[in-house]
Amino acid sequence: MKRNKPKYKQIVDAAVTVIAENGYHQSQVSKIAKQAGVADGTIYLYFENKEDILISVFQEKMGLFIEKMEEAIQTKATASEKLFVLIENHFNILSHDRHLAIVTQLELRQSNKELRKRINEVLKDYLRLIDHIICHGQEKKEFASHLNVRLVRQMIFGTMDETVTTWVMNEQKYDLVSLAPQVHELLLQGCKQQ
Amino acid sequence: MKRNKPKYKQIVDAAVTVIAENGYHQSQVSKIAKQAGVADGTIYLYFENKEDILISVFQEKMGLFIEKMEEAIQTKATASEKLFVLIENHFNILSHDRHLAIVTQLELRQSNKELRKRINEVLKDYLRLIDHIICHGQEKKEFASHLNVRLVRQMIFGTMDETVTTWVMNEQKYDLVSLAPQVHELLLQGCKQQ
Amino acid sequence: MKRNKPKYKQIVDAAVTVIAENGYHQSQVSKIAKQAGVADGTIYLYFENKEDILISVFQEKMGLFIEKMEEAIQTKATASEKLFVLIENHFNILSHDRHLAIVTQLELRQSNKELRKRINEVLKDYLRLIDHIICHGQEKKEFASHLNVRLVRQMIFGTMDETVTTWVMNEQKYDLVSLAPQVHELLLQGCKQQ
Amino acid sequence: MKRNKPKYKQIVDAAVTVIAENGYHQSQVSKIAKQAGVADGTIYLYFENKEDILISVFQEKMGLFIEKMEEAIQTKATASEKLFVLIENHFNILSHDRHLAIVTQLELRQSNKELRKRINEVLKDYLRLIDHIICHGQEKKEFASHLNVRLVRQMIFGTMDETVTTWVMNEQKYDLVSLAPQVHELLLQGCKQQ
DNA sequence: AATGAATGAGCTTTCATTCAT
DNA sequence: CATGAATGAAAGCTCATTCAT
């Protein structure tokens, strides 16, 4: 399996660095190859084409992201706590990997429709995770059960995403993680049983 | 003033159509010119360069968007009602101009950092409008006054934005406007005085 | 006759100014029109095309140049004196019209083959004038009569031209006219009866 | 080193041919690439941009020119003989490479100010060579020592240059090299100790 | 006679991808 | 497996010229 070979990971990591530092449109394959310390042609032994590198970046990083998130959420019992962990981890991970934050919030969105569709495929796993929290909350009567799950999820994800994007656009000048409690309070108000 | 000449509007409208149908990266200047029924060179009598077309598209459309929105909001007295009108109009306008919806939710985000900064300048007017509603609500004691205005705004905008994007990504298969009441309820819960 | 209309002269003068200030390749028709205070289209009522403007510039300026030169030369009796007047006037005229100097020594030489051929047509009158001085000198036994007239003329013109070009390339930092006596001495040595 | 790779030379030679046959302004990069038998993009592996091709043409050819010239001059003892060898070789080299003659006398002069400055840098080595002959002549009392070296050099270079240009403009109809003795006589008269 | 908005052909350069070594 | 030289398609922009007013 190519995904486990060292050069595969080298290239993915190089891609994150290059894209974060140069922006999507200035991230030529040759630049990624140079950063990864391999020849241009070598890239094509591990990836179909340039788009495939980008999708792989997202899959790899998002895979880890979701994995960590699932573990963290399982440690909590109530939906409210799970939601808090979700928000805090979401902010925390992106706060501690600024390259990744730039790439996910800004650069990857510059890709074309086709690529974005495939990125959304990966994202679905994350959205499903949020859905689980919401359903759990509704079952346990913590959250109002008449609420449309998709809308609640869009509120949760949209709010977190917008918050991170604003933070990135402001050049990460303030502390993102410390916003978690307030965001949690806001979102919880929106969901909870009145 | 170039902005009032008929060809200017022709080109802006052509750009929206072409970008929505072909995607940002497949929207060559020549394609936009053809759609507008003018020569390629004519584009450059009205716009600095290709990027300028995109910014102008956003400025023109967003200008109308905000204008309509301000009028609609003024007709309502309470912050809750204002919020409802905001959501409903946001969904309504994009629902009725599907090309515009595609362009704002997907294609314009593919632009580079510089362009996105300029787009954000325009967007700021809209965000400010949301801020006004929130402050008004806090003054009138409808909304909890301890809430951070920026975070609330990010929740409101993020939720609406994510909802529209999901709808566009789902190829606009369901009715967006009918989601307004539920989104309003969700967001209101988040803001209001408990 | 178009050549006597005021706009014709306006445009020719504008062309000299624009070319000297912006260089040949940055002298668009529209720029010349603006400088002349006429509309772009008006240019084409007086000139066939852009090339025609350039040729006319050269014809007009060279015509005056030759006229002045002929007058000045006629005032002198010996070939040696005539040669001195030629050199001094050549340097003097270009010294006092730096725009013209730039245009003739640098910018007009950037034109294409066809245009340069037509410029050479105009130049021929000047070269003929030099030939007359040489023949006169040979007839009067001032100059060695075995010398090939064309070669002598090439020496005279080539030396003057190279001297002016060097001066222009050096940004006209020194006094060109004061070089006339030495250049005269040099050239005279080359021609004269030993 | 790129300069020693075969494709580099291929492209430089192709450029000389294409420019001589089509003129500077009709020498598109694609035409040069085709003549060189390489892809358009390959040009940019060896040259910065189109201008760089032209400068390289001049550097390569002028380098050889000066090299040959230096060798030839060293074989002669007196300044008069050195001057003769200079003239004869100058005419000889350009006589035997008519494409090069067209390019140096006509086409390269069509370049813009910046390019011409860089061409002049290369030319300086040649002018310095002429200066050496003059100084040598003055030291050995062959040439009049009161003469300004720069002016003498301008006479020598200007005369040769004008002679070659006239020959090229006359479509190389007569034998250039056979003019060398007369040109030498003329120039020598100008320089020598009276 | 004069205008100036409109035209559209034309060209340099980039960069993802290939393939001989 | 790995290389990197070579490829060539693709597109934004300029500007001389026209022509309806």
Side-chain angles (χ1 to χ4, degrees), chain A residues 160-176:
Chain A
M160 292 194 301
D161 192 57
E162 178 69 16
T163 303
V164 179
T165 297
T166 301
W167 172 75
V168 171
M169 295 290 299
N170 280 322
E171 283 156 3
Q172 313 166 324
K173 277 188 225 144
Y174 48 88
D175 182 36
L176 180 62

Side-chain angles (χ1 to χ4, degrees), chain C residues 7 39 41-42 45-46:
Chain C
K7 294 216 167 151
T42 305
L45 298 175
Y46 294 90

Side-chain angles (χ1 to χ4, degrees), chain C residues 168-187:
Chain C
V168 172
M169 294 289 299
N170 281 322
E171 283 157 2
Q172 314 166 326
K173 277 188 227 145
Y174 48 88
D175 182 35
L176 180 63
V177 183
S178 67
L179 299 179
Q182 296 172 76
V183 173
H184 177 246
E185 185 196 342
L186 266 179
L187 294 177

Side-chain angles (χ1 to χ4, degrees), chain D residues 63-81:
Chain D
L64 287 176
F65 195 106
I66 292 174
E67 225 171 272
K68 285 189 197 175
M69 202 63 96
E70 276 177 336
E71 283 176 27
I73 287 171
Q74 279 182 340
T75 66
K76 302 297 175 184
T78 69
S80 167
E81 283 170 326

